[in-house]
Amino acid sequence: MTDLDLLHFEQLKKDVQAQYLKEYTPSYDDISKWKGIDIIYFQEDLRKKAKGNISEKSFYTYFKNSPVTKLPRIDMLTLLSIYAGYTSWYEFKKQHLFAGEMLQDDQDLEEDDRRELEKTVSSALNLPKTENLTAKTEISALKKTDLQNNNTENQTLEQKTSIENINSYKIEKTAKKSYQRTAWITATLIFVVLLGLLGFKDEIFDKTYTYCFTDADRNQKIQSTIEIKVLKENESPLFFRIKPGECFYYQTKDKNIKMQISSTMYENLEINRNLENAPEEETIELKPDDYKMAVYYFSTKDVQGVNAVEQFNLIRQKRKQLENLISNDAVITQVYDSDIYGLESLDKQDYITLVTTPTTSLKNLNVIEMRKDKKGKIISIKFKISTNENNQ
């Protein structure tokens, strides 16, 4: 990477900004000031025109800082170059050469690399020829030594065999006398061990408990992912992710279990059980959360296939529902995967616009935390849109 590459990247960002401004009107013309829904619309346009995506973390890292000190990966540079109207990053640089700049093909070897390759090949061709000769001499000497030792070893072996035959006869007599005694002791020990295991099996072996989950209103299996945090005394929590429709199997020899259960569409629930008297199989009911249900609906409902009038009426209806659910003074926070921009606050109207706009990014919207007041109004929302360069 050279300083000229960083300057070329700054040029590319301006071309990307100009390309987007041809069709859209973001909150600010300057791409470094975009946030929230502006970034989501840009990601959507990038997927449509360049068949790829960049995460919010990458956007904040490379577009919020100018000039940058680190160049993105080549795949991201190529993706942005295609979006700006070029065939590749190399083609973009070729069309924006600085005065006196000589653009070298990326596949050419650097001068130092070429010299090192020539040196390696040369040393490989000039290996000393005496190595094979030395090896042959050592092998020949070993063969001669083996032949000289063969006769002596055979004589010693015959003497040892005679002595061993006498000793083995004596040992065989002694072994027969002690065999029955050893077998009796072994059988007794095995019986004692088995008796102990049967008497203390609950304290020694883990026991498996099964927990299944149903919708409290519909009496059906939960059809969304469930996250379970098992809290253990004086230990770090254990985290489990249960697939839709499946049960949770937990092995333990503990006498108590404490679980915190959460799901994308149901209210959070904490379970405490005394396992000494608890059944090994249990069905737990989760109460649907109206707000989370609405967010899930916007995240997964594809309204692209309906006509414009139906789409407009659907969005207006859902906006009205969210207006009633969320307090006007609600504190709404979006969490980002970025070391520079970790959190961003939204007001009620901006948030409703965000979650009622049918975009691909909303398929990855997750509600981290939500709180209600005594009247049932939502007063706090913390959410995150999990994205990466492979989400399309």
Side-chain angles (χ1 to χ4, degrees), residues 292-302 351 354-367 385:
K292 290 183 179 180
M293 288 283 190
V295 171
Y296 178 78
Y297 179 82
F298 290 123
S299 301
T300 58
K301 177 65 176 177
D302 185 7
Y351 179 73
L354 174 64
V355 297
T356 55
T357 302
T359 62
T360 306
S361 297
L362 287 183
K363 291 182 178 180
N364 301 309
L365 187 146
N366 295 309
V367 177
I385 299 177

Side-chain angles (χ1 to χ4, degrees), residues 277-324:
N277 302 317
E280 295 184 14
E281 296 185 8
E282 183 179 351
T283 299
I284 299 174
E285 292 186 344
L286 299 183
K287 186 177 180 181
D289 189 300
D290 293 336
Y291 169 75
K292 290 183 179 180
M293 288 283 190
V295 171
Y296 178 78
Y297 179 82
F298 290 123
S299 301
T300 58
K301 177 65 176 177
D302 185 7
V303 297
Q304 301 294 338
V306 301
N307 60 57
V309 176
E310 291 179 355
Q311 182 175 340
F312 175 78
N313 290 334
L314 179 62
I315 292 175
R316 184 173 62 178
Q317 178 186 358
K318 296 305 177 181
R319 284 185 66 94
K320 185 177 180 180
Q321 291 179 354
L322 289 177
E323 286 280 359
N324 295 329

Side-chain angles (χ1 to χ4, degrees), residues 84-175:
Y86 301 88
T87 59
S88 65
W89 166 241
Y90 178 81
E91 181 65 23
F92 174 82
K93 291 194 295 183
K94 186 177 180 181
Q95 299 294 330
H96 296 78
L97 291 177
F98 294 103
E101 180 184 4
M102 297 294 293
L103 190 61
Q104 185 179 5
D105 194 336
D106 293 341
Q107 296 180 349
D108 291 344
L109 287 174
E110 297 289 343
E111 182 64 22
D112 292 341
D113 295 337
R114 185 181 61 79
R115 292 177 180 176
E116 185 66 24
L117 181 61
E118 291 177 354
K119 182 179 178 181
T120 303
V121 174
S122 176
S123 62
L125 294 175
N126 293 321
L127 290 174
K129 297 181 180 179
T130 57
E131 290 183 358
N132 292 336
L133 180 61
T134 302
K136 290 180 179 179
T137 304
E138 292 177 354
I139 293 172
S140 176
L142 288 173
K143 288 182 178 179
K144 289 181 179 180
T145 303
D146 291 341
L147 291 174
Q148 292 175 355
N149 291 336
N150 279 343
N151 293 333
T152 304
E153 289 177 356
N154 289 337
Q155 294 174 0
T156 303
L157 183 61
E158 290 177 358
Q159 294 175 357
K160 288 182 178 180
T161 301
S162 299
I163 296 173
E164 287 175 356
N165 288 337
I166 297 172
N167 291 336
S168 64
Y169 177 76
K170 294 179 180 180
I171 293 172
E172 186 176 353
K173 275 189 173 183
T174 305

